[in-house]
């Protein structure tokens, strides 16, 4: 497809979207170039091209981009065509695709979780009261009369002198716990990192620890503030097909069943058992908290349909001119949560989450391809699968990298980029982590912008996106996006816009493309992130984690192995 001459001015953006993107055939690539003056004007990061990519990837034709679906097929075809158009080399043994093995498990939505309380059965319904699934890959999981044990926040952190499992044996039992960290609900800045969530606060960690402790099942009590999203997000995310890496390749134990219950269900349950939920919050935030055996049992007959499938990461490389064995990685996840079928709008289009990130990668790739002089180090463009299932695609890539991790200079993650207009600031998730922030500051200084930490550190966003797997392995990782202090409306307008997205569209069918979005700010963000990679690709710098960062030791080990 030839490139149509379009102005990138904001006033003409709606017309640009129509010409550049609307009515594109489903199997056609995105914006492509032609010769002449227009090629030069749109060879780099361009608002109309970015918008066209987002619109295509989040269209109903792509059916929510669920792994293993028709949406996957269309996404793979789209990205492959774009990588080829840009002249990027395949990054996985001659292919753009890196096959990730996965198990697809869909719990029967009629599943009932039965609690015996004082000899009386209480049935919790799937979706309205609870959600439950299994990571074992088993089609049938039965749990009979497993005693409930309340374990506070379900945290075992010896380096912090905290163990919610101290003195209790939960083998074969069902643990019930709060989401987030000790200290969060009581606003105690002396516990963990105060309001800033650590990995111990994430539900993924809590299930991992419960499995290590030998539990038969683990239930997290939902509250909107602690989870940073409402019950609808939990229900939508845990309904329908769920994906995991095969258990056979995982050395760590897995729970037979894991899930959530609503806060109202938990409050009623605890009241019937003679406990006040608010008092349990207080008790669980005290050092020396002791787990409480509850006079209740859980029974479950969980039927699931299971199948072994694969889903691809997509890897493309622009080889460096002089240091091709060293690479900077730009990454984002292409997957979303698909089409849940039923009545009304059932497609979870994932326009912000994360068609914006993938569009951003393509625009940054276009800038690198047209850069003069060409980058000296290689640049990898990585679109991973299964982020919505627990960062599984990036986990697989980190275990099987195209460029060895010890030769990976840095990772720059693009996920859920805001399209709310230009801002005076840029948000760095996990602010204060590595020297990548110093390089980013050089870029934002030229834009008269400042770097700030995320407004809601209690949400734990640093642990909820794919860069985290690289960080754990030691590779410096930058996760930055548009800020809250908008040129038009200031901080109040920016935070209202961000809150509106989280409350009304995140993991909901409403996350759809809107041609009225203001793309000026996201283009500034992409230019700044491109600048970080451009700087790193042109010199021999190896940025490090800041002193005291928990990932510094892993990087030192990586760099030590590179020097051997």
């Amino acid at each position: 497809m030839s490139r149509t001459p379009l102005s990138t001015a904001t006033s003409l953006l709606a017309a640009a979207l129509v010409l550049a993107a609307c009515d594109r055939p489903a199997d056609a690539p995105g914006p492509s170039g032609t010769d002449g003056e227009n090629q030069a004007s749109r060879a780099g990061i361009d608002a109309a091209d970015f918008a066209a990519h987002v619109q295509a990837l989040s269209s109903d034709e792509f059916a929510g981009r669920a792994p293993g679906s028709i949406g996957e097929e269309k996404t793979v075809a789209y990205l492959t065509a774009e990588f080829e158009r840009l002249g990027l080399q395949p990054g996985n043994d001659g292919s753009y695709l890196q096959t990730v093995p996965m198990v697809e498990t869909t719990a029967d939505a009629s599943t009932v979780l039965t609690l015996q309380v004082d000899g009386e059965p209480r049935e919790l319904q799937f979706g309205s009261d609870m959600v439950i699934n299994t990571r074992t890959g088993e089609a049938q999981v039965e749990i009979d009369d497993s005693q409930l044990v309340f374990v506070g926040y379900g945290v075992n952190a010896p380096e912090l002198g905290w163990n919610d499992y101290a003195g209790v044996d939960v083998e074969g039992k069902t643990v019930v716990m709060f989401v987030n960290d000790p200290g969060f609900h009581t606003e105690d800045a002396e516990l963990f990192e105060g309001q800033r969530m650590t990995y111990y606060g994430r539900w993924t960690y809590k299930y991992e620890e419960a499995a290590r402790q030998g539990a038969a099942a683990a239930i997290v009590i939902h509250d909107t503030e602690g989870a940073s999203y409402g019950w609808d997000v939990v229900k939508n995310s845990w309904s329908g097909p769920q994906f995991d890496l095969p258990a056979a390749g995982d050395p760590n134990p897995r729970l037979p069943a894991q899930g959530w219950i609503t806060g109202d269900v938990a409050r009623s349950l605890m009241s019937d058992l003679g406990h006040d939920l608010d008092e349990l919050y207080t008790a669980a935030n005290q050092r020396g908290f002791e787990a409480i055996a509850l006079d209740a049992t859980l029974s479950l007959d969980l039927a699931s349909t299971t199948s072994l499938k694969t889903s691809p990461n997509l890897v493309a490389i622009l080889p460096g001119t002089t240091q091709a064995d060293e690479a900077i990685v730009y990454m984002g996840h292409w997957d979303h949560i698909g089409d849940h079928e039923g009545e009304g709008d059932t497609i979870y289009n994932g326009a912000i989450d994360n068609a914006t990130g993938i569009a951003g990668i393509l625009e940054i790739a276009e800038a690198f391809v047209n850069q003069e002089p060409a980058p000296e180090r290689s640049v990898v463009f990585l679109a991973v699968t299964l982020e919505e299932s627990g960062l599984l695609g990036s986990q697989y890539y980190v275990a099987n990298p195209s460029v060895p991790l010890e030769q990976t200079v840095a990772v720059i993650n693009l996920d859920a980029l805001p399209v709310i207009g230009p801002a005076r600031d840029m948000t760095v998730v996990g602010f204060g982590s590595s020297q990548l922030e110093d390089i980013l500051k050089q870029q934002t200084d030229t834009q008269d912008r400042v770097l700030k930490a995320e407004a809601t550190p209690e949400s734990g966003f640093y642990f909820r996106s794919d860069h985290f797997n690289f960080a754990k392995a030691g590779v410096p990782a930058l996760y930055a996006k548009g800020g809250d202090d908008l040129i038009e409306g200031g901080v109040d307008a920016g935070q209202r816009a961000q809150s509106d997205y989280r409350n009304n569209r995140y993991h909901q069918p409403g996350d759809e493309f809107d041609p009225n979005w203001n793309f000026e700010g996201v283009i500034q963000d992409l230019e700044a992130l491109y600048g970080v990679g451009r700087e790193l690709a042109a010199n021999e710098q190896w940025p490090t984690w800041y002193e005291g960062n928990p990932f510094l030791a892993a990087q030192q080990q990586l760099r030590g192995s590179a020097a051997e």
Side-chain angles (χ1 to χ4, degrees):
M1 180 182 293
S2 62
R3 190 188 300 273
T4 304
L6 297 170
S7 169
T8 61
T10 302
S11 62
L12 297 180
L13 184 56
L17 294 178
V18 172
L19 292 172
C22 289
D23 299 322
R24 180 183 301 129
D27 58 351
S32 56
T34 59
D35 296 331
E37 180 180 343
N38 186 60
Q39 172 66 19
S41 69
R42 293 182 60 188
I45 296 169
D46 177 83
D49 285 354
F50 173 84
H53 288 310
V54 175
Q55 185 178 31
L57 290 164
S58 63
S59 67
D60 282 357
E61 285 187 59
F62 282 65
R65 303 190 308 279
S69 72
I70 186 65
E72 173 185 284
E73 295 178 18
K74 290 182 178 292
T75 303
V76 169
Y78 188 98
L79 294 181
T80 298
E82 284 299 294
F83 289 158
E84 290 175 342
R85 177 182 69 82
L86 291 167
L88 300 173
Q89 293 188 7
N92 187 54
D93 295 329
S95 173
Y96 291 118
L97 275 60
Q98 180 187 54
T99 301
V100 180
M102 68 177 186
V103 179
E104 180 184 282
T105 304
T106 305
D108 185 341
S110 66
T111 298
V112 172
L113 190 156
T114 302
L115 302 177
Q116 287 284 343
V117 180
D118 287 335
E120 296 293 327
R122 174 178 299 191
E123 294 187 345
L124 305 185
Q125 304 300 315
F126 195 100
S128 58
D129 301 321
M130 62 83 185
V131 289
I132 198 83
N133 65 32
T134 180
R135 291 192 61 214
T136 62
E138 299 293 330
Q140 199 74 28
V141 172
E142 295 183 12
I143 300 175
D144 294 319
D145 296 327
S146 172
Q147 183 184 7
L148 270 59
V149 181
F150 175 68
V151 292
Y153 287 86
V155 171
N156 179 14
E159 76 282 5
L160 298 175
W162 194 281
N163 185 3
D164 287 325
Y165 289 95
V168 61
D169 180 7
V170 298
E171 184 79 27
K173 299 175 183 177
T174 295
V175 295
V176 181
M177 66 199 96
F178 295 135
V179 70
N180 217 303
D181 291 312
F184 171 76
H185 291 98
T186 56
E187 300 183 1
D188 187 345
E190 301 300 316
L191 293 182
F192 289 66
E193 294 188 18
Q195 292 300 99
R196 180 173 178 168
M197 185 189 285
T198 73
Y199 187 56
Y200 293 117
R202 286 287 289 146
W203 54 265
T204 49
Y205 162 79
K206 296 175 187 295
Y207 296 142
E208 291 166 2
E209 184 60 36
R212 285 189 287 268
Q213 297 287 337
I219 302 295
V220 172
I221 297 171
H222 174 263
D223 74 275
T224 297
E225 291 73 22
S228 82
Y229 39 73
W231 179 254
D232 279 350
V233 172
V234 178
K235 180 177 64 175
N236 294 339
S237 301
W238 285 62
S239 301
Q242 306 292 307
F243 305 98
D244 216 323
L245 300 180
D250 188 352
N252 299 308
R254 297 188 179 189
L255 288 167
Q258 58 188 43
W260 297 70
I261 57 175
T262 69
D264 288 342
V265 167
R267 186 171 296 279
S268 174
L269 171 65
M270 293 303 179
S271 176
D272 288 349
L273 292 170
H275 299 283
D276 180 272
L277 192 65
D278 294 328
E279 292 178 358
L280 290 177
Y281 274 114
T282 300
N285 280 275
Q286 304 299 316
R287 289 194 177 277
F289 164 79
E290 295 182 358
I292 301 171
L294 301 174
D295 189 17
T297 63
L298 175 147
S299 296
L300 178 69
D301 187 354
L302 177 60
S304 304
T305 57
T306 65
S307 59
L308 295 174
K309 295 186 176 181
T310 62
S311 184
N313 293 329
L314 289 99
V315 192
I317 295 180
L318 178 63
T321 56
T322 61
Q323 298 159 258
D325 59 332
E326 300 172 358
I328 296 94
V329 176
Y330 283 90
M331 71 172 305
H333 71 93
W334 63 256
D335 67 305
H336 200 53
I337 54 179
D339 185 348
H340 286 200
E341 300 183 348
E343 297 181 358
D345 185 358
T346 61
I347 297 177
Y348 292 69
N349 302 82
I352 298 297
D353 186 14
N354 186 35
T356 58
I358 297 302
I361 289 173
L362 293 175
E363 288 304 291
I364 289 172
E366 184 126 27
F368 271 107
V369 165
N370 289 281
Q371 175 183 307
E372 292 291 345
E376 297 178 17
R377 283 168 159 162
S378 295
V379 187
V380 174
F381 302 96
L382 173 63
V384 297
T385 185
L386 296 166
E387 188 269 357
E388 302 289 8
S389 301
L391 317 183
L392 302 180
S394 57
Q395 178 183 331
Y396 188 84
Y397 177 89
V398 166
N400 304 275
S402 298
V403 176
L405 296 184
E406 61 268 22
Q407 296 299 105
T408 300
V409 179
V411 170
I412 300 170
N413 183 33
L414 283 71
D415 190 2
L417 307 180
V419 283
I420 56 177
R424 299 179 181 87
D425 56 350
M426 190 169 185
T427 297
V428 177
V429 182
F431 185 73
S433 294
S434 81
Q435 292 173 346
L436 293 174
E437 295 168 32
D438 302 331
I439 304 172
L440 179 61
K441 184 178 185 301
Q442 296 170 12
Q443 308 302 316
T444 53
D445 280 350
T446 68
Q447 299 174 335
D448 294 324
R449 303 168 73 197
V450 297
L451 300 182
K452 290 184 180 178
E454 66 267 42
T456 57
E458 68 275 11
S459 300
F461 288 119
Y462 195 81
F463 313 107
R464 291 166 56 177
S465 194
D466 289 295
H467 65 279
F468 183 54
N469 283 315
F470 286 86
K472 288 192 294 184
V475 179
L478 178 65
Y479 180 24
K481 60 176 89 175
D484 291 332
D485 188 4
L486 299 186
I487 299 298
E488 296 185 6
V491 174
D492 183 60
Q495 291 187 352
R496 279 203 318 271
Q498 301 278 27
S499 177
D500 177 67
Y501 167 71
R502 287 194 303 270
N503 294 335
N504 299 315
R505 282 177 287 286
Y506 173 67
H507 281 208
Q508 298 184 54
D511 187 5
E512 297 181 310
F513 177 81
D514 184 347
N516 295 313
W517 282 336
N518 186 330
F519 294 92
E520 186 179 348
V522 73
I523 297 304
Q524 282 189 316
D525 301 334
L526 294 176
E527 289 170 343
L529 295 174
Y530 161 61
V532 174
R534 182 186 60 214
E535 176 75 16
L536 289 172
N539 61 44
E540 298 182 355
Q541 179 183 357
W542 285 88
T544 65
W545 299 98
Y546 290 141
E547 195 66 36
N549 187 279
F551 306 125
L552 178 60
Q555 185 190 21
Q556 291 170 338
Q557 185 175 0
L558 269 184
R559 298 299 301 138
S561 66
E564 293 175 356

